[in-house]
């Protein structure tokens, strides 16, 4: 139940943000492709389902590139910290009635204007080529800026923190094909900004002498300065734009049918994912170890793999037989001797929706020994005979001793470390040759990386 409620709230919130943008149309198209993929997979149409699956990988990357602005906007709105660090407009410095009267005065004169009010979300990334002003916001200044022939009349005026921050700003245009045909560049710029942020835009049409307000992608015509001032006061106040208190019932019934459809879609998705169980699967899993103490050597473990029974909650999850599942056991507390370590469910790294129901056997027997280090002499292995009448008088070895490391039960019985065999027939008189060392026993390491030098000292027979 909690899954359905949480996802319904998230999906409806995304819908309310992007319902008037092309992003929603793309999401609906992708939803159709996802439904088509599940249908073709269920019916066994392998070629179609494979093409849709491969196409989905490419489309996912393309969506991130194309809709990066919308994705960034959604993540910002979901952020809980934005309420602490977001800007708050200073309404005490704004005479909204004076600004509204100035805008209607421009409308009466058939002079175009575009004024943008920043609210919580920063909009600097959408503003281009603006001229910095940082002036007190007043009706006379607004009217002067948009008078025909003035240097800053072309573009938008930005009001931020109760002051006129910039003028002559270029804004991103709306790509909404449903906008009225008589909307020009000024209206499309204002609407394009409010589609991408929570800003408020007021547009004055020079052709029709109308004042239009845009917020959250919605457009409304304003008939009087008093109506515009009241609307801006509600939108720019630090509190929620909805001043009156709503009951829980009123909030639930507002936009009732979109909410019902959202819950229905989420419920269907939950049924597809959760109800169609993947069943119980048995797999053979190898045993691995980590955190082996530095002073301990692992000699043997029995068994080397275990039979694990897994419960898969949905058939949309890949089969565990296709996953690289291992039992990774922590040996941090291992000591020398024989130990029985239990195999716990925490030792398996499994994807979400897969749980361990049983493990056979439920423990692993580990034989360990103490790790020691010893110095051993180097012994030269030779075969063959020297050419001519020469004979080996002695072989000088450099170095003479080398360190080895390994289990105490094995290292304590070693007497020497041998070199790889040396063929005397290939050795010239008093020649120095290099040979690598051989590992004296399993699990014993020779702590010498280079090759030893052998000087074969000969004499005549």
């Amino acid at each position: 139940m909690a899954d359905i409620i949480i996802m319904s709230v998230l999906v409806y919130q995304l819908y309310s943000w992007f319902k008037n943008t092309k992003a929603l149309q793309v999401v609906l198209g992708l939803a159709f492709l996802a439904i088509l993929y599940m249908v073709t997979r269920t019916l066994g149409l392998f070629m179609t389902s494979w093409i849709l699956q491969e196409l989905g990988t490419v489309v996912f990357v393309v969506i991130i590139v194309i809709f990066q602005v919308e994705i960034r906007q959604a993540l910002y709105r979901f952020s809980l910290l934005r309420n602490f660090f977001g800007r708050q407009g200073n309404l005490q410095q704004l005479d909204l009635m004076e600004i509204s009267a100035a805008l209607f005065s421009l409308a009466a004169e058939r002079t175009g204007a575009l004024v943008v009010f920043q609210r919580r979300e920063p909009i600097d990334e959408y503003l281009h080529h603006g001229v910095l002003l940082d002036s007190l916001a007043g009706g006379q200044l607004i009217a002067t800026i948009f008078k025909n022939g003035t240097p800053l009349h072309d573009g938008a005026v930005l009001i931020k923190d109760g002051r006129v921050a910039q003028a002559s700003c270029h804004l991103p245009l709306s790509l909404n094909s449903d906008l009225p045909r008589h909307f020009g560049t000024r209206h499309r710029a204002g609407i394009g900004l409010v589609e991408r942020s929570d800003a408020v835009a007021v547009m004055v049409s020079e052709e029709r002498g109308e004042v239009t307000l845009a917020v959250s992608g919605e457009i409304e015509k304003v008939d009087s300065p008093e109506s515009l001032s009241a609307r801006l006061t509600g939108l720019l106040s630090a509190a929620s734009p909805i001043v009156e208190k709503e009951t829980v019932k009123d909030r639930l019934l507002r936009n009732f049918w979109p909410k019902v459809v959202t819950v229905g879609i989420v419920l269907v998705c939950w049924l597809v994912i959760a109800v169609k169980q993947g069943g119980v699967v048995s797999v053979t899993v190898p045993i691995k170890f980590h955190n082996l103490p530095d002073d301990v050597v692992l000699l043997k473990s029995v068994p080397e793999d275990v039979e694990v029974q897994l419960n898969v909650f949905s058939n949309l999850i890949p089969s565990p037989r296709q996953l690289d599942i291992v039992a990774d056991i922590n040996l941090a507390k291992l000591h020398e001797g024989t130990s029985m370590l239990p195999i716990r469910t925490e030792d398996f790294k499994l994807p979400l929706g897969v749980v361990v129901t049983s493990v056979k056997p439920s423990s692993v027997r580990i034989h360990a020994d103490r790790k020691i280090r010893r110095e051993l002499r180097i012994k030269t292995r030779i075969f063959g005979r020297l050419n001519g009448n020469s004979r080996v008088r002695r072989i000088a070895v450099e170095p003479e001793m080398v360190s080895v490391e390994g289990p105490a039960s094995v290292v304590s019985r070693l007497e020497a470390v041998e070199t790889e065999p040396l063929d005397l027939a290939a050795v010239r008189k008093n020649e120095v040759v290099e040979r690598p060392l051989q590992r004296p026993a399993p699990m014993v390491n020779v702590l010498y990386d280079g090759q030893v030098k052998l000087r074969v000292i000969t004499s005549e027979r």
Side-chain angles (χ1 to χ4, degrees):
M1 190 65 181
D3 275 346
I4 299 175
I5 295 176
I6 293 173
M7 288 306 302
S8 297
V9 172
L10 294 178
V11 172
Y12 177 76
Q13 194 65 52
L14 291 174
Y15 163 76
S16 62
W17 287 338
F18 302 126
K19 61 182 177 180
N20 293 320
T21 65
K22 287 192 174 181
L24 181 62
Q25 301 175 17
V26 174
V27 170
L28 294 177
L30 292 176
F32 172 76
L33 291 178
I35 295 173
L36 183 61
Y37 167 72
M38 289 188 291
V39 171
T40 55
R41 183 179 177 183
T42 303
L43 296 178
L45 304 178
F46 300 109
M47 185 181 72
T48 306
S49 60
W50 179 83
I51 292 176
L52 291 175
Q53 181 178 355
E54 297 300 319
L55 183 63
T57 305
V58 178
V59 169
F60 180 76
V61 178
V62 173
I63 288 176
I64 294 178
V65 175
I66 296 178
F67 294 101
Q68 54 181 316
V69 175
E70 287 80 0
I71 295 173
R72 184 166 61 247
Q73 178 184 358
L75 293 177
Y76 174 80
R77 288 179 173 178
F78 275 126
S79 174
L80 298 176
L81 297 179
R82 72 187 183 99
N83 293 325
F84 296 96
F85 299 104
R87 293 180 176 269
Q88 298 289 336
N90 192 348
L91 288 181
Q92 286 72 20
Q93 298 182 15
L94 277 177
D95 189 343
L96 294 176
M97 188 62 209
E98 180 185 350
I99 295 175
S100 301
L103 291 174
F104 271 87
S105 176
L106 291 172
E109 299 173 0
R110 298 299 177 95
T111 301
L114 173 56
V115 180
V116 173
F117 297 87
Q118 176 175 310
R119 295 203 288 175
R120 289 183 180 273
E121 297 179 10
I123 59 175
D124 294 337
E125 61 180 307
Y126 306 119
L127 306 178
H128 304 286
H129 310 298
V131 177
L132 297 178
L133 294 181
D134 193 21
S135 305
L136 290 175
Q140 292 183 348
L141 177 60
I142 299 295
T144 302
I145 290 175
F146 288 108
K147 283 291 184 182
N148 290 327
T150 58
L152 303 179
H153 80 282
D154 188 18
V157 165
L158 170 64
I159 296 180
K160 178 173 67 173
D161 298 333
R163 300 177 67 83
V164 176
Q166 298 183 43
S168 191
C169 300
H170 292 180
L171 308 179
L173 300 181
S174 173
L175 300 177
N176 188 353
S177 58
D178 297 329
L179 293 177
R181 288 182 175 272
H182 60 264
F183 277 3
T185 304
R186 182 177 292 108
H187 286 77
R188 291 186 177 273
I191 297 169
L193 178 65
V194 301
E195 287 176 346
R196 294 168 171 83
S197 67
D198 69 342
V200 179
V202 180
M203 294 84 69
V204 178
S205 172
E206 56 185 329
E207 290 85 3
R208 298 175 306 281
E210 296 176 349
V211 177
T212 308
L213 184 141
V215 60
S216 301
E218 298 288 345
I219 312 161
E220 56 184 274
K221 181 182 175 182
V222 186
D223 297 326
S224 65
E226 292 78 13
S227 299
L228 178 59
S229 176
R231 191 78 174 93
L232 289 175
T233 301
L235 291 171
L236 299 179
S237 59
S240 173
I242 302 175
V243 178
E244 65 273 8
K245 293 183 178 180
E246 286 186 308
T247 63
V248 176
K249 180 180 178 181
D250 292 336
R251 291 187 178 184
L252 290 176
L253 294 180
R254 182 160 49 89
N255 295 330
F256 179 73
W257 288 112
K259 292 178 180 177
V260 171
V261 173
T262 301
V263 174
I265 293 174
V266 173
L267 181 60
V268 170
C269 294
W270 183 85
L271 290 175
V272 171
I273 295 174
V275 174
K276 296 182 68 176
Q277 297 288 330
V280 178
V281 180
S282 295
V283 293
T284 301
V285 173
I287 299 177
K288 293 184 179 180
F289 305 99
H290 67 280
N291 288 343
L292 180 68
D294 294 335
D295 58 346
V296 175
V297 179
L298 181 64
L299 299 179
K300 186 180 180 182
S301 63
V302 179
E304 296 183 351
D305 48 47
V306 292
E307 190 77 16
V308 183
Q309 195 174 66
L310 303 172
N311 190 8
V312 183
F313 288 104
S314 174
N315 62 356
L316 298 180
I317 301 174
S319 173
R321 295 188 179 92
Q322 301 175 359
L323 303 176
D324 187 17
I325 301 176
V326 297
D328 197 3
I329 299 177
N330 188 358
L331 299 181
K333 298 182 180 180
L334 185 68
H335 51 80
E336 61 178 304
T338 302
S339 304
M340 292 292 295
L341 297 182
I343 303 177
R344 305 168 301 171
T345 57
E346 294 83 0
D347 296 329
F348 300 89
K349 293 183 179 180
L350 301 172
L352 188 65
V354 180
V355 296
V356 176
T357 57
S358 66
V359 180
K360 295 181 181 180
S362 59
S363 61
V364 56
R365 182 186 299 272
I366 297 178
H367 302 276
D369 197 357
R370 179 169 51 92
K371 182 188 293 185
I372 64 172
R373 182 177 297 184
R374 280 187 62 195
E375 291 284 330
L376 298 178
R377 65 182 182 86
I378 297 177
K379 179 180 179 182
T380 306
R381 290 183 59 190
I382 58 175
F383 68 95
R385 300 181 58 182
L386 294 173
N387 295 324
N389 296 325
S390 299
R391 63 182 180 86
V392 178
R393 192 169 68 183
R394 69 183 181 90
I395 299 177
V397 181
E398 181 184 350
E400 296 181 351
M401 306 289 288
V402 70
S403 296
V404 297
E405 186 179 69
S409 58
V410 179
V411 174
S412 60
R413 297 197 300 266
L414 297 177
E415 296 180 356
V417 178
E418 294 184 342
T419 66
E420 288 191 358
L422 174 64
D423 186 4
L424 294 178
V427 178
R428 295 190 296 272
K429 184 178 180 181
N430 295 329
E431 181 184 8
V432 176
V433 296
E434 294 184 348
R435 303 299 293 169
L437 295 173
Q438 291 184 327
R439 175 176 288 188
M443 294 182 290
V444 176
N445 296 321
V446 179
L447 305 180
Y448 187 78
D449 295 332
Q451 298 187 9
V452 296
K453 295 181 180 180
L454 305 177
R455 178 182 292 275
V456 182
I457 301 175
T458 62
S459 61
E460 301 296 329
R461 292 184 184 274

